[in-house]
Amino acid sequence: MLSLRPSPELTPDEIERGLSNIIFDGLTTHAFATLTSGIFLIAFALELGASNVVIGLLAAIPPLAELVQIPAVSLIEKVRNRRLVTVITSLASRGLWIFVALIPFLLSPQAGIVCLVLLLIVYSCISSVKHCGWKSWMRDLIPEQILGMYFSRRMALSFAAAIVLSLGAGYFLDHWQNGGGGTAVTGYAVIFLVGSLIGLAGTYFLVRTPEPMMIIRHDVPLRRRLTAWYEDINFRNLIIFLALWSFAVNLAAPFLTVYLLKRLSLDITTIIVLSIVSQLTSILSLPLWGTIADRFSNKSVLKVAGPLFVLCFLALTFTNFPEPHFLTMPLLVIIHIIMGLSTAGVTLAAGNIGLKLAPKGSATSYLAGISIFTALAAGIAPIIGGFFVDHLAECELAWNLSWKSPGFAIIIPTFHLQHWDFFFVLAFVLGLYSVHRLIYVKEEGEIDEPIFIDSLIAYGKDMRNFSTAGGIRNIMRFPVNGMDIQSDNYALRCRPDLKLQKNRDGPVP
């Protein structure tokens, strides 16, 4: 384990190697998450006979387990080796999915559901410790000037890998069931096994990533440091926004796959294709969001991407109006395109704004504060949804326009809510309010809204010049060779567009 010790000071070459390895870590981590969560996990649970309450519980366990970050902060500061903690917890948590894959072969469906819940609890608690160390590690490793662009490239490559894996998994499931290979539930088990092996292999890149020495304030007790963010009014407002946003999204998002499978009667292959459409849009939009976040602010990105995302929840209510109709599939495609566009912006900006506003030396405790409250909100929301969704199955709220004349009558449905629609509407309202709370968050570099919108439109025009292959080639490149990380010109050499602006208009603000 001597090779996993942190370094007092990192050279530019070490940072370059670390940034490259974190890119590959992102690929394997996202591949693991794609094959062991989301559509495949929910479909697996439904095949075992899980109820809506169980689906809500499965969605609530991972965020609630983030509360383990409270004692994890003490562990990490005692060990003072975030890389060691991250590697060990990664191996343990990802290896657990081998046991999940064995459920259909060893247990009955009812016992399998109980075992799945228990294993997910253990996995999520171990992963929470990993997240606590990894976030603090990245905060000190990645230069702040390129934070937005770097993570946008990492996410874009990860989404691209997820698309390939999703298509491959969908094809495998069709062949497995139609070709006589076995039942659907055993097909999902094979997918979980492959995901676990990919995740285990990905820890190699974490081992090769250097870690800078932690800066710990010994004069302040841990309890005091865990609550230090509360005295920071700006960071406190950020936590309020993120908690409200997390509650709104997780009230409806965990049931989206159930809605598509049960309410709209779509098959798993169609849902995977819709997911791929969303991820492709995310890949194409990530360079846009990353550039805007670095040039303007993460807050500016959230102001645009946030409302777009929750608008998709409202649009879902029109896909069954009151039953699936000929416009249902076109609407779903449009919704998933907008959802992919906005998800990229929200995910990138929400993660980066926390990293940016957390002060160095206290990043672990500040980021743990974010995790605690967003975890509570994200955990409570799907539990509420799971308990109430069945009670709303027989409820309807309709508003129709009717016309009657001699020999002619027509009724036009203009507003119709039923079952999951109530959660989609409530998530939309709460999401809009959470975005409103952003006005109380101050971020260095934020600009006036009109200036940002004009620039966003200008960047949008440049999207016409993007090509899939060229975009991915640019994402793969990360110029760090021969640079002084502490110099003022570092960000300009990583971002040629800023250098051109500096030469043309003077110093970059």
Side-chain angles (χ1 to χ4, degrees):
M1 293 301 176
L2 294 177
S3 61
L4 296 182
R5 286 181 176 178
S7 303
E9 187 176 352
L10 298 180
T11 65
D13 288 339
E14 288 177 320
I15 293 178
E16 178 189 3
R17 186 178 72 250
L19 294 175
S20 298
N21 281 311
I22 291 301
I23 290 289
F24 289 105
D25 165 66
L27 290 173
T28 55
T29 299
H30 204 78
F32 163 74
T34 298
L35 296 178
T36 59
S37 61
I39 296 173
F40 299 113
L41 177 60
I42 293 176
F44 176 71
L46 290 174
E47 288 290 337
L48 290 176
S51 63
N52 286 322
V53 175
V54 173
I55 296 299
L57 183 61
L58 291 176
I61 289 172
L64 286 178
E66 292 296 313
L67 296 176
V68 176
Q69 290 196 32
I70 298 175
V73 172
S74 178
L75 171 66
I76 290 169
E77 294 192 349
K78 183 177 181 179
V79 176
R80 298 188 188 182
N81 192 329
R82 293 165 291 188
R83 177 166 54 165
L84 176 63
V85 172
T86 303
V87 169
I88 292 176
T89 51
S90 295
L91 289 171
S93 60
R94 295 171 182 182
L96 276 176
W97 282 90
I98 295 176
F99 297 99
V100 176
L102 295 176
I103 287 177
F105 305 100
L106 301 178
L107 301 173
S108 65
Q110 186 174 5
I113 293 174
V114 176
C115 185
L116 176 63
V117 171
L118 293 177
L119 286 173
L120 190 61
I121 291 173
V122 177
Y123 159 77
S124 300
C125 289
I126 299 175
S127 293
S128 179
V129 179
K130 175 208 167 185
H131 298 158
C132 186
W134 188 86
K135 290 177 183 178
S136 175
W137 179 10
M138 294 303 106
R139 174 65 178 87
D140 293 345
L141 175 66
I142 302 173
E144 186 174 308
Q145 305 97 317
I146 56 169
L147 202 61
M149 181 58 69
Y150 176 77
F151 273 109
S152 70
R153 289 173 172 177
R154 183 177 185 269
M155 288 171 59
L157 280 175
S158 300
F159 284 154
I163 288 175
V164 176
L165 284 172
S166 297
L167 281 173
Y171 174 79
F172 166 77
L173 285 173
D174 287 339
H175 179 74
W176 182 266
Q177 297 178 71
N178 300 328
T183 61
V185 70
T186 56
Y188 291 119
V190 174
I191 291 175
F192 292 158
L193 178 61
V194 174
S196 177
L197 296 177
I198 293 175
L200 289 171
T203 57
Y204 168 78
F205 301 107
L206 291 173
V207 172
R208 287 180 52 82
T209 303
E211 177 196 356
M213 191 76 72
M214 285 185 67
I215 302 175
I216 301 178
R217 291 155 48 185
H218 298 279
D219 56 327
V220 182
L222 176 62
R223 181 179 298 180
R224 175 67 174 170
R225 280 184 278 118
L226 282 175
T227 58
W229 58 265
Y230 185 79
E231 298 177 359
D232 187 335
I233 297 177
N234 190 44
F235 204 85
R236 190 169 69 209
N237 287 327
L238 173 64
I239 289 180
I240 292 174
F241 155 70
L242 291 174
L244 286 171
W245 175 264
S246 184
F247 183 89
V249 171
N250 286 279
L251 185 65
F255 301 99
L256 178 56
T257 299
V258 183
Y259 173 78
L260 296 176
L261 284 170
K262 290 189 172 182
R263 179 60 185 153
L264 300 184
S265 300
L266 300 181
D267 57 76
I268 191 68
T269 303
T270 302
I271 297 175
I272 290 174
V273 171
L274 288 173
S275 175
I276 290 173
V277 169
S278 180
Q279 292 178 43
L280 277 173
T281 310
S282 293
I283 291 174
L284 294 175
S285 62
L286 273 170
L288 165 67
W289 294 123
T291 302
I292 291 175
D294 285 338
R295 183 174 180 181
F296 302 108
S297 68
N298 295 291
K299 181 178 170 181
S300 299
V301 172
L302 289 170
K303 283 183 178 180
V304 176
L308 279 176
F309 184 84
V310 295
L311 186 63
C312 294
F313 286 140
L314 184 64
L316 283 170
T317 63
F318 294 94
T319 57
N320 58 333
F321 204 63
E323 298 293 334
H325 45 81
F326 72 98
L327 290 177
T328 294
M329 190 53 63
L331 274 174
L332 285 174
V333 173
I334 294 173
I335 289 170
H336 278 78
I337 289 174
I338 298 176
M339 193 172 287
L341 174 70
S342 55
T343 298
V346 170
T347 304
L348 179 69
N352 285 353
I353 195 171
L355 289 172
K356 186 174 181 180
L357 296 186
K360 285 191 174 182
S362 301
T364 302
S365 56
Y366 270 65
L367 295 175
I370 290 179
S371 298
I372 290 169
F373 284 92
T374 55
L376 283 172
I380 293 171
I383 292 177
I384 293 175
F387 276 106
F388 282 95
V389 69
D390 289 332
H391 295 284
L392 295 172
E394 303 301 325
C395 299
E396 291 189 26
L397 178 63
W399 180 21
N400 299 325
L401 291 178
S402 62
W403 170 266
K404 289 184 179 180
S405 62
F408 181 76
I410 185 173
I411 298 178
I412 303 174
T414 57
F415 185 80
H416 194 106
L417 300 180
Q418 56 182 328
H419 208 182
W420 284 284
D421 295 342
F422 294 103
F423 288 97
F424 294 150
V425 172
L426 182 57
F428 168 73
V429 174
L430 291 176
L432 285 184
Y433 176 71
S434 68
V435 174
H436 165 72
R437 291 288 310 183
L438 270 174
I439 64 175
Y440 301 105
V441 178
K442 303 300 179 184
E443 180 186 4
E444 182 181 355
E446 66 178 280
I447 61 171
D448 293 334
E449 189 74 11
I451 300 175
F452 167 69
I453 294 297
D454 290 343
S455 299
L456 179 63
I457 294 173
Y459 274 111
K461 293 178 180 177
D462 292 338
M463 289 288 287
R464 294 174 299 183
N465 298 323
F466 285 359
S467 66
T468 304
I472 293 179
R473 285 196 300 270
N474 291 333
I475 290 168
M476 289 292 289
R477 291 197 297 267
F478 190 74
V480 187
N481 286 326
M483 296 184 186
D484 180 6
I485 303 300
Q486 304 298 327
S487 71
D488 293 336
N489 292 326
Y490 178 73
L492 297 178
R493 297 183 67 183
C494 288
R495 293 278 311 283
D497 57 318
L498 294 185
K499 186 173 183 180
L500 291 175
Q501 181 183 354
K502 179 177 180 181
N503 293 339
R504 185 177 65 251
D505 302 327
V508 179

